[in-house]
Amino acid sequence: MNTNDRLTIAGREFKSRLWVGTGKYKNFIETQKAIEASGADVVTVAVRRVNITDRSKENLLDYLDPKKYIILPNTAGCYTVEDAVRYARLARAAGVSDLVKLEVLGDEKTLFPDTAGLIEAAKILIKEGFIVLPYTNDDPIVAKKLVDIGCPAVMPLAAPIGSGLGIRNPYNLKIIMEQVKVPIIVDAGVGTASDAALAMEYGADAVLMNTAIAGAQDPIAMAEAMKYAVHAGRLAYKAGRIPRKLYATASSPIEGML
Amino acid sequence: MVESIQIQVNGESRSWRAGATVGELLRELDITSERVAVELNLEILDRKEFDRRGIKDGDRLEILSFIGGGSLNRKVTPAMGDVIRSGR
């Protein structure tokens, strides 16, 4: 890909427009191989209690070279502003950067974002110097508010987390992409490669996924498929597609026919 | 004989020796301090403080690290860590 076509967020440059989660894999070797195959340079991680009773257990970070990957901690599993803020602070204390993928979830069944809580938590964390990348609904007004309070990118969902439904509301996503002048990372709900390509064709700046890769029958092959899909979608977006027309337009000239 | 104290580490009660620091606790639990966050009675400690902060009887410590995660880990496998319930 054209090396000038780099994604930049809050002054940081990202090599890949595909970002991946690290959950739900069979083991760390599979995680490592899938991430490698995806070409992603941003990987999301969760913050959890260390297993203190059995120290023989390996750590994910043993398998992810910090020089190769940008570790993006999330606040997954947090349903309140207080919890999300607490986990973000813990992530910063455990890690090396101010980056956080902020999630404040509304309920366990849909895992939809609690957007009121999200805005509140984002305000607190931005004041504390965090670079907040908010996981939000496909709601253009909420996206605008998040940008107004200082989020350097927004991460609207395509569909519920882990649902694999693909982009349920392309028109809202398009409105967000038009109205919001920061990078848009479509996060959650991707099912297969064409979903990722479509998100990029609509004009998303990047796509973040976990289950679509980790849950595939062959996660490493799917990771590679996603790499090409995101790449192809980006190229198609930059190239500019032809308009849709109801009737045919001949590709071959009429002149010279018998 | 060293006096012992009762503390909570990641939700479990433990006896520890009085006068130990957070840094000593981590080393004795074989935990690499570069990769963890430590919360002592809900206060997140700066890594530089680990060797200065002493542990007292009744202290509650949480030691956390990064695990595999995408958008949610509702079913975290035991090998990857324990799920924390929100709230206390």
Side-chain angles (χ1 to χ4, degrees):
Chain A
M1 167 104 55
N2 177 0
T3 47
N4 297 325
D5 187 36
R6 287 275 173 88
L7 170 62
T8 307
I9 298 170
R12 281 158 195 264
E13 211 175 74
F14 300 90
K15 283 199 279 288
S16 170
R17 291 177 181 273
L18 172 59
W19 296 8
V20 294
T22 52
K24 300 181 179 173
Y25 285 98
K26 275 202 286 292
N27 52 50
F28 290 140
I29 297 286
E30 190 186 71
T31 316
Q32 188 185 44
K33 283 186 174 164
I35 293 169
E36 186 79 44
S38 77
D41 64 340
V42 178
V43 296
T44 63
V45 296
V47 181
R48 294 293 182 268
R49 279 174 167 166
V50 168
N51 187 335
I52 52 168
T53 45
D54 185 358
R55 297 302 304 143
S56 66
K57 295 281 196 293
E58 292 175 297
N59 188 290
L60 170 71
L61 295 188
D62 295 330
Y63 289 82
L64 298 174
D65 183 353
K67 288 185 206 80
K68 260 168 81 180
Y69 300 108
I70 295 163
I71 305 292
L72 175 60
N74 61 32
T75 61
C78 294
Y79 289 85
T80 64
V81 173
E82 292 71 31
D83 271 353
V85 168
R86 182 183 181 197
Y87 274 77
R89 289 171 179 158
L90 285 164
R92 178 154 74 175
V96 285
S97 83
D98 297 323
L99 278 172
V100 65
K101 179 190 155 187
L102 182 63
E103 295 184 27
V104 183
L105 300 171
D107 77 64
E108 286 190 29
K109 194 163 176 124
T110 64
L111 299 178
F112 279 141
D114 169 357
T115 51
L118 181 69
I119 291 169
E120 200 183 325
K123 276 185 190 164
I124 296 168
L125 292 170
I126 289 165
K127 209 176 279 178
E128 294 178 13
F130 281 87
I131 298 164
V132 175
L133 310 180
Y135 163 67
T136 182
N137 223 320
D138 53 9
D139 179 334
I141 305 302
V142 173
K144 271 179 149 177
K145 285 187 179 177
L146 288 163
V147 174
D148 287 345
I149 62 169
C151 294
V154 287
M155 309 180 75
L157 55 79
I161 293 168
S163 69
L165 285 174
I167 301 172
R168 295 187 321 161
N169 198 339
Y171 304 104
N172 270 32
L173 282 184
K174 279 187 178 178
I175 291 173
I176 294 175
M177 286 162 199
E178 276 196 30
Q179 300 277 310
V180 169
K181 299 296 169 213
V182 298
I184 309 293
I185 300 141
V186 171
D187 179 10
V190 165
T192 188
S194 52
D195 297 333
L198 209 52
M200 295 306 292
E201 286 175 22
Y202 287 148
D205 294 278
V207 179
L208 170 57
M209 64 181 76
N210 189 161
T211 311
I213 296 174
Q217 286 188 29
D218 182 344
I220 295 150
M222 187 57 91
E224 194 178 3
M226 292 299 183
K227 174 172 80 178
Y228 294 128
V230 167
H231 187 119
R234 178 67 182 172
L235 287 177
Y237 170 72
K238 298 282 277 187
R241 59 154 296 150
I242 59 161
R244 287 182 174 85
K245 284 183 283 189
L246 193 55
Y247 294 100
T249 312
S251 306
S252 307
I254 307 291
E255 291 137 32
M257 287 190 79
L258 299 176
Chain B
M1 167 129 182
V2 186
E3 195 190 336
S4 79
I5 53 171
Q6 281 298 118
I7 56 170
Q8 288 248 334
V9 185
N10 286 5
E12 288 173 30
S13 291
R14 286 189 171 235
S15 287
W16 213 258
R17 56 169 207 286
T21 64
V22 171
E24 284 165 349
L25 175 88
L26 291 175
R27 279 189 289 277
E28 281 162 50
L29 289 173
D30 195 22
I31 292 168
T32 318
S33 63
E34 287 77 44
R35 287 179 178 172
V36 295
V38 177
E39 208 183 57
L40 176 60
N41 301 325
L42 298 178
E43 177 201 352
I44 297 170
L45 301 182
D46 192 291
R47 205 165 284 150
K48 294 193 287 283
E49 287 182 73
F50 288 175
D51 284 325
R52 286 181 234 148
R53 292 294 284 264
I55 304 165
K56 301 183 306 297
D57 190 51
D59 276 353
R60 284 187 315 179
L61 285 111
E62 293 289 352
I63 305 166
L64 299 99
S65 186
F66 295 132
I67 65 145
S71 292
L72 185 89
N73 291 271
R74 213 168 2 170
K75 287 175 192 153
V76 182
T77 60
M80 291 179 123
D82 309 309
V83 181
I84 292 184
R85 288 272 131 231
S86 52
R88 332 200 111 233

